[in-house]
């Protein structure tokens, strides 16, 4: 019996409980710098940055100026580099119901072309900005249609802040009553149009005992921050709530609070009254303004804090939405890389198969000879190509199954390989952080031509390296192993249906600063098909095509342990999702015939519609044990992809190809650049089929068929009266060997 085992268990339990109990208290903002606004912004009540951090905005409260003010910032998000000479004001006292005196809270719409302001009397107005995040040319919006103190809710007594969700369909206000404040939610039928507002839910705040001043959300709306204020010296807190569904205040639960800390306490024991707050674009910095009141002296200031993790006040949570979105993109990329490579293989095979002229003549052979019947299709193709010349020439003609050179080879099994390297960036979309993507892959395959149909198998290994721009050094390292079965089926005329079915195994490691914090496994099955018409519309062989792709992926549940900095453990549920897209475009290729080799220039242009539905994923943090749902919206509905390259083919079957490919979203800034390499070898078994046709000598035809089997040669000779009702023929079979 191990007597130390109970002691170890108790020790681990104490450490674990201590970890949970202390997790809130350890996550506090770190005051980095403070800048005085004395006689510049006399009573700052709120603060914002533009997304680039190159411009800062304040509201001026109780100074009689009735303005919002902007300044340029030389170093993004660094308040010590504010250029106070760049001051631009926007007057908020437009008169009538839209008159805003002493503005407190303000907020921009999602693209910075509209700014909203509100005061504690319920006044509310909006201005249009001709240049995003620039007050220089602002225009007052027509009357918004109501006064928040009387309509639509007549009991809003003291509102000091306004916020929106990501798409502007929800607006949030504070009813700031001492000891009984609440957050009120409004629905907007038209995004960011407050004339279409109707009251929704409300959430009563019972944790604070002073007046609330401002509220904010994190980037996905699953954390809500409230800041309290008072005119007398006191301890003021920032309160944090968890929302199990983004921007749904009915799901809010109290997570904890931290004391507001400022520097340079005055001789009267005060350091200013805390008012508005804001975050940097990446959530790694927190900003707060204070103002002086009564005996508190000149405390008009703006404070800048560092955070240990994005939006890290009270608690840190691991990056969930972006990492999950990146995992979904990895799954989509695996499907595309496999289908794209195999469809390029189809193009190569079609370009290098035996060419036949089917446009000029249509010859049907009816051969009753059982020996020669097996050569029926070969004879048809040979004669179709050579009939016109033979009718005009009395000499014997050496026919062929190729347009340019005598047909000497029939393809059996061929093997090939293909390498690819791609890199790109998926831009920020909603609360999803930007990600840099690098993909490398190698594929090996083998296929066979059977009755003009292509069948094959291919295996691909791929590695995706995704860096997530969270400020914590987060990234995903994914490995994918895929087996594909594919086929190309000729349809009527010169149309083909190319299709494949694939199955993949995925392994995804999540890392923070090169330390694995979680690992996830997955499996997927997918199919892709493309219809193309090979009619030569121009000399460059333009080939229209349509494509459809669909896949189902299942990712396992996993635990993200985070780091000591995040001090958070997230448990992610199993995730099953469908991805699909439809596309259309045209391919082009042009072949130069050289001595014993060919050089082909090829490419395509493709328009893609992403049909992937919104994807919900669920996770639970160990601190509050609350299950949170995040919804991943489509990154890009409309996209375009272009490809151009060349292919070099030797007579002996060796081929080398290189292609450059660009994927560009038309809905946002997402893009991907790919460089594709291919090295192939067409395996051949020596087989010669010669046809000698004499149209003026009773249509006499002599056929010689020779095939090599290693050291053995099989030779079949025959003479035949091609069009006789009772055919006259002779045949002999010869087998010879060399040792």
């Amino acid at each position: 019996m191990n007597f130390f085992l109970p002691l170890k268990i108790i020790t681990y339990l104490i450490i674990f409980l201590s970890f949970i109990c202390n997790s809130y208290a350890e996550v506090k903002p770190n005051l980095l710098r403070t800048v005085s606004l004395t006689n510049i912004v006399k009573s700052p009540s709120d603060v914002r940055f533009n997304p680039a951090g190159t411009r800062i905005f304040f509201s001026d409260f109780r100074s009689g100026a009735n303005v919002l003010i902007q300044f340029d910032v030389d170093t993004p998000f660094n308040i010590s580099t504010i250029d106070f000479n760049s001051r631009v004001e926007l007057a908020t006292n437009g008169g009538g119901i839209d008159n805003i005196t002493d503005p407190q809270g303000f907020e921009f719409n999602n693209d910075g072309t509209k700014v909203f302001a509100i005061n504690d009397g319920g006044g509310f107005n909006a201005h249009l900005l001709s240049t995003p995040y620039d007050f220089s040319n602002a225009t007052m919006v027509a009357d918004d249609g109501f006064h928040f103190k009387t309509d639509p809710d007549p009991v809003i007594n003291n509102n000091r802040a306004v916020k929106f969700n990501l798409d502007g369909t929800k607006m949030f206000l504070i009813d700031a009553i001492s000891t009984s404040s609440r957050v009120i939610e409004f629905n907007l039928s038209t995004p960011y149009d407050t004339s279409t507002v109707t009251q929704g839910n409300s959430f009563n705040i019972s944790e604070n005992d002073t007046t609330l001043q401002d509220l904010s959300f994190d980037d996905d709306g699953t954390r809500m921050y409230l800041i309290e204020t008072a005119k007398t010296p006191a301890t003021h807190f920032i309160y944090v709530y968890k929302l199990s569904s983004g921007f749904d205040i009915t799901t809010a639960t109290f997570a904890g609070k931290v004391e507001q800390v400022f520097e340079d306490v005055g001789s009267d024991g005060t350091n200013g009254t805390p008012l508005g707050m804001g975050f940097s674009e990446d959530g790694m910095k927190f900003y707060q303004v204070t103002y002086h009141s009564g005996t508190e002296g000149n405390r008009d200031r703006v404070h800048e804090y560092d955070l240990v993790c994005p939006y890290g006040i009270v608690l840190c949570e691991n990056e969930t939405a972006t990492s999950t979105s990146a995992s979904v993109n990895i799954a989509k990329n695996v499907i595309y890389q496999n289908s794209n490579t195999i469809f390029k293989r189809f193009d190569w095979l079609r370009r290098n198969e035996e060419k036949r002229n089917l446009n000029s003549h249509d010859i049907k052979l009816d051969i009753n000879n059982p020996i020669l019947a097996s050569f029926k299709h070969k004879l048809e193709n040979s004669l179709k190509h050579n009939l016109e010349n033979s009718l005009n020439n009395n000499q014997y003609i050496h026919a062929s199954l190729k347009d340019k050179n005598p047909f000497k080879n029939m393809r059996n099994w061929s093997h090939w390989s293909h390498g690819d390297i791609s890199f790109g960036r998926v831009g920020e979309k909603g609360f999803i952080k930007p990600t840099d993507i690098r993909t490398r892959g190698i594929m090996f395959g083998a296929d066979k031509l059977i009755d003009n149909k292509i069948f094959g198998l291919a295996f691909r290994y791929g590695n995706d390296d995704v860096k997530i721009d969270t400020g914590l050094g987060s990234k995903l390292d994914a490995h994918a192993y895929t087996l594909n079965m594919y086929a190309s089926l000729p349809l009527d005329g010169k149309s083909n249906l190319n299709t494949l079915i694939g199955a993949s195994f995925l392994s995804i490691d999540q890392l923070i600063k090169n330390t694995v914090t979680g690992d996830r496994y997955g499996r997927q099955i997918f199919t892709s098909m493309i219809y193309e018409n090979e009619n030569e519309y121009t000399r460059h062989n333009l080939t229209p095509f349509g494509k459809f792709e669909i896949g189902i992926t299942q990712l396992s549940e996993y635990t993200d342990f985070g780091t000591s900095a995040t001090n958070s453990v997230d448990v992610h549920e199993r995730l099953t999702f469908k991805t699909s897209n439809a596309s259309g475009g045209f391919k082009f290729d042009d072949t130069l015939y050289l001595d014993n080799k060919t050089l082909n220039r090829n490419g395509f242009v493709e328009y893609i519609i992403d049909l992937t539905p919104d994807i919900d994923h669920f996770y639970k943090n160990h601190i509050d044990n609350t299950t949170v749902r995040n919804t991943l919206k489509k990154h890009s509905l409309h996209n375009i992809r272009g490809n151009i390259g060349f292919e070099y083919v030797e007579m002996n079957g060796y081929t080398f190809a290189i292609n450059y490919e660009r994927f560009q979203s038309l809905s946002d800034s997402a893009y991907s650049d790919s460089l594709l390499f291919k090295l192939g070898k067409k395996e051949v078994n020596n087989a010669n089929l010669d046809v000698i046709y004499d149209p003026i000598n009773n249509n006499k035809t002599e056929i010689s068929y020779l095939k090599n089997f290693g050291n053995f040669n099989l030779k079949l000779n025959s003479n035949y009266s091609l069009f006789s009702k009772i055919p006259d023929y002779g045949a002999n079979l010869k087998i010879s060997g060399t040792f």
Side-chain angles (χ1 to χ4, degrees):
M1 178 179 179
N2 187 348
F3 293 99
F4 293 100
L5 183 59
L7 182 59
K8 289 182 180 179
I9 295 175
I10 294 174
T11 302
Y12 291 148
L13 183 59
I14 292 174
I15 293 174
F16 180 71
L17 291 176
S18 175
F19 177 74
I20 294 178
C21 294
N22 293 329
S23 56
Y24 288 151
E26 293 176 356
V27 186
K28 293 182 179 180
N30 175 40
L31 183 61
L32 182 62
R33 55 179 63 95
T34 294
V35 172
S36 174
L37 300 175
T38 302
N39 297 322
I40 300 173
V41 183
K42 295 181 180 179
S43 297
S45 57
D46 208 353
V47 57
R48 294 287 182 277
F49 278 90
N50 66 339
T54 57
R55 189 163 286 166
I56 192 170
F57 307 88
F58 301 97
S59 53
D60 197 341
F61 171 61
R62 288 188 177 179
S63 67
N66 304 320
V67 292
L68 304 180
I69 308 171
Q70 78 177 37
F71 300 99
D72 292 337
V73 181
D74 294 336
T75 301
F77 297 108
N78 186 334
I79 63 173
S80 67
T81 66
I82 297 175
D83 179 7
F84 291 115
N85 294 321
S86 63
R87 180 188 185 103
V88 178
E89 295 183 356
L90 186 155
T92 61
N93 55 340
I97 200 171
D98 288 328
N99 183 61
I100 298 295
T101 58
D102 302 331
Q104 292 208 14
F106 69 96
E107 187 61 280
F108 293 93
N109 66 346
N110 57 347
D111 62 3
T113 58
K114 198 172 185 179
V115 62
F116 305 85
I118 196 164
N119 66 7
D120 61 2
F124 185 95
N125 67 19
H127 287 77
L128 293 177
L129 308 179
S130 58
T131 302
Y133 300 101
D134 188 350
F135 292 160
S136 299
N137 294 290
T139 305
M140 174 87 68
V141 181
D143 196 310
D144 58 84
F146 60 87
H147 194 281
F148 278 102
K149 198 168 184 178
T150 58
D151 181 19
D153 186 342
V155 294
I156 295 181
N157 293 290
N158 194 339
N159 180 51
R160 302 183 179 185
V162 56
K163 291 292 181 295
F164 294 90
N165 67 342
L166 296 177
D167 60 8
T169 57
K170 285 186 178 183
M171 181 173 66
F172 303 89
L173 306 179
I174 290 179
D175 189 8
I177 305 173
S178 179
T179 72
S180 61
S181 298
R182 61 176 177 157
V183 177
I184 306 172
E185 172 189 307
F186 295 88
N187 299 312
L188 284 68
S189 57
T190 301
Y192 298 106
D193 183 352
T194 53
S195 67
T196 65
V197 71
T198 57
Q199 186 176 350
N201 301 309
S202 64
F203 178 72
N204 293 320
I205 308 298
S206 59
E207 285 76 17
N208 73 301
D209 57 5
T210 58
T211 303
L212 290 179
Q213 173 66 32
D214 198 4
L215 83 155
S216 190
F217 294 93
D218 67 346
D219 53 358
D220 62 359
T222 57
R223 275 177 280 177
M224 180 172 65
Y225 304 84
L226 298 170
I227 193 169
E228 65 181 357
T229 186
K231 294 182 180 180
T232 58
T235 300
H236 307 299
F237 292 93
I238 301 174
Y239 299 87
V240 180
Y241 293 80
K242 286 288 298 291
L243 281 65
S244 59
S245 184
F247 296 101
D248 184 355
I249 59 176
T250 63
T251 66
T253 57
F254 181 63
K257 63 182 180 180
V258 294
E259 181 181 351
Q260 302 178 52
V261 179
F262 312 112
E263 67 175 11
D264 190 22
V265 176
S267 59
D268 55 1
T270 66
N271 49 27
T273 299
L275 290 179
M277 62 177 173
F279 291 92
S280 63
E281 187 71 4
D282 61 1
M284 291 299 294
K285 286 191 175 182
F286 174 71
Y287 302 88
Q288 188 177 31
V289 288
T290 57
Y291 84 109
H292 72 271
S293 175
T295 61
E296 294 186 6
N298 292 328
R299 297 289 182 262
D300 295 326
R301 299 183 176 189
V302 57
H303 310 269
E304 177 184 330
Y305 301 82
D306 274 339
L307 303 178
V308 297
C309 64
Y311 303 92
I313 301 176
V314 171
L315 74 161
C316 277
E317 292 180 307
N318 303 317
E319 174 57 47
T320 58
T322 304
S323 61
T324 304
S325 176
S327 298
V328 171
N329 284 331
I330 287 171
K332 295 170 66 175
N333 190 44
V334 168
I335 296 174
Y336 172 73
Q337 292 292 350
N338 279 274
S339 63
N340 184 46
T341 302
I342 290 176
F343 288 150
K344 281 184 173 58
R345 173 63 177 174
F346 287 140
D347 294 339
W348 184 87
L349 290 172
R350 292 300 179 190
R351 282 197 297 268
N352 291 278
E353 70 178 339
E354 292 70 40
K355 299 179 184 292
R356 295 163 296 178
N357 185 351
L358 303 179
N359 298 323
S360 300
H361 307 283
D362 187 11
I363 298 177
K364 181 70 175 177
L365 299 183
D366 185 10
I367 300 177
N368 297 317
N369 187 322
I371 297 177
L372 297 180
S374 62
F375 304 128
K376 174 183 175 181
H377 296 294
K378 296 180 176 63
L379 290 169
E380 286 179 351
N381 296 333
S382 176
L383 293 173
K384 286 176 185 178
H385 175 69
N386 290 280
L387 178 61
E388 183 176 354
N389 288 333
S390 65
L391 292 176
N392 296 323
N393 191 339
N394 292 335
Q395 299 298 319
Y396 288 150
I397 302 219
H398 185 258
S400 171
L401 295 183
K402 274 195 173 182
D403 283 342
K404 301 184 180 299
N405 298 310
F407 175 66
K408 298 180 180 180
N409 300 313
M410 284 185 55
R411 183 165 59 251
N412 195 3
W413 280 99
S414 299
H415 59 79
W416 55 276
S417 63
H418 185 105
D420 58 83
I421 300 175
S422 62
F423 49 90
R425 182 175 177 85
V426 176
E428 184 171 357
K429 185 73 170 179
F431 56 85
I432 304 300
K433 305 294 184 184
T435 55
D436 293 304
I437 305 168
R438 184 177 64 181
T439 301
R440 295 160 292 186
I442 183 70
M443 178 177 276
F444 299 95
D447 44 48
K448 185 174 184 179
L449 179 68
I450 303 176
D451 293 332
N452 209 31
K453 302 177 182 68
I454 300 170
F455 300 94
L457 295 171
F459 174 81
R460 180 181 186 272
Y461 164 74
N463 172 233
D464 289 78
D465 186 13
V466 181
K467 294 182 179 179
I468 303 174
D469 190 4
T470 62
L472 294 178
S474 302
K475 70 175 183 177
L476 299 180
D477 183 25
H479 303 267
Y481 308 86
T482 307
L483 180 64
N484 300 272
M485 296 184 294
Y486 58 92
S488 180
L489 309 175
L491 304 178
D492 294 337
K494 284 194 173 183
S495 299
N496 297 311
L497 179 64
N498 301 333
T499 183
L500 66 89
I501 297 176
S504 301
F505 173 78
L506 309 175
S507 174
I508 304 175
D509 289 337
Q510 181 171 295
L511 301 92
I512 297 179
K513 295 181 178 178
N514 296 321
T515 300
V516 177
T517 61
D519 52 70
R520 192 171 209 172
Y521 298 95
R523 51 189 177 181
Q524 68 179 183
I525 186 170
F526 59 90
T527 184
S528 185
M529 57 189 67
I530 184 171
Y531 170 82
E532 57 187 22
N533 189 325
E534 292 186 348
N535 288 303
E536 299 178 0
Y537 291 98
T538 72
R539 69 183 185 89
H540 297 292
N541 296 343
L542 292 181
T543 303
F545 69 90
K547 180 180 176 183
F548 179 75
E549 194 170 80
I550 186 171
I552 298 176
T553 304
Q554 184 179 84
L555 300 178
S556 66
E557 65 178 17
Y558 82 106
T559 300
D560 181 2
F561 292 98
T563 66
S564 58
T566 60
N567 201 15
S568 179
V569 176
D570 293 330
V571 178
H572 294 255
E573 296 183 6
R574 177 182 297 176
L575 179 63
T576 303
F577 57 91
K578 178 179 69 175
T579 59
S580 63
N581 60 69
S583 64
F586 62 88
K587 302 177 183 179
F588 59 89
D589 69 84
D590 185 26
T591 302
L592 298 176
Y593 292 92
L594 309 174
D595 293 337
N596 297 324
K597 60 183 71 70
T598 61
L599 180 65
N600 179 271
R601 297 161 293 184
N602 59 84
F604 65 82
V605 177
E606 180 182 16
Y607 170 73
I608 308 164
I609 298 179
D610 191 345
L611 303 176
T612 302
D614 294 343
I615 299 172
D616 291 332
H617 80 281
F618 299 86
Y619 70 95
K620 181 165 53 179
N621 188 271
H622 82 285
I623 295 175
D624 52 20
N625 207 34
T626 300
T627 299
V628 177
R629 180 186 68 184
N630 272 333
T631 300
L632 304 178
K633 302 287 185 178
K634 298 177 183 177
H635 281 307
S636 181
L637 179 62
H638 303 282
N639 312 274
I640 192 168
R641 179 181 282 116
N643 181 294
I644 190 168
F646 73 89
E647 185 177 68
Y648 178 80
V649 182
E650 291 278 1
M651 190 66 178
N652 57 13
Y654 284 103
T655 178
F656 171 76
I658 183 171
N659 286 74
Y660 167 74
E661 187 167 298
R662 171 81 176 194
F663 171 92
Q664 180 66 59
S665 167
L666 301 180
S667 303
D668 55 36
S669 59
Y671 73 91
S672 176
D673 292 302
S674 300
L675 197 59
L676 312 171
F677 305 91
K678 179 172 64 177
L679 178 64
K681 174 67 169 68
K682 183 175 68 175
E683 291 291 348
V684 295
N685 284 327
N686 293 328
N688 294 332
L689 176 65
D690 292 331
V691 180
I692 301 176
Y693 172 53
D694 184 0
I696 63 174
N697 187 14
N698 197 28
N699 295 311
K700 184 178 179 181
T701 305
E702 294 183 9
I703 300 171
S704 176
Y705 179 75
L706 175 64
K707 186 168 184 178
N708 176 263
F709 296 91
N711 293 324
F712 293 94
N713 294 318
L714 171 65
K715 185 175 183 180
L716 175 64
N717 291 319
S718 175
N719 57 72
Y720 198 81
S721 297
L722 193 61
F723 298 109
S724 299
K725 291 184 179 180
I726 302 176
D728 176 21
Y729 62 86
N732 63 79
L733 181 67
K734 178 180 178 181
I735 298 177
S736 62
T738 59
F739 299 92

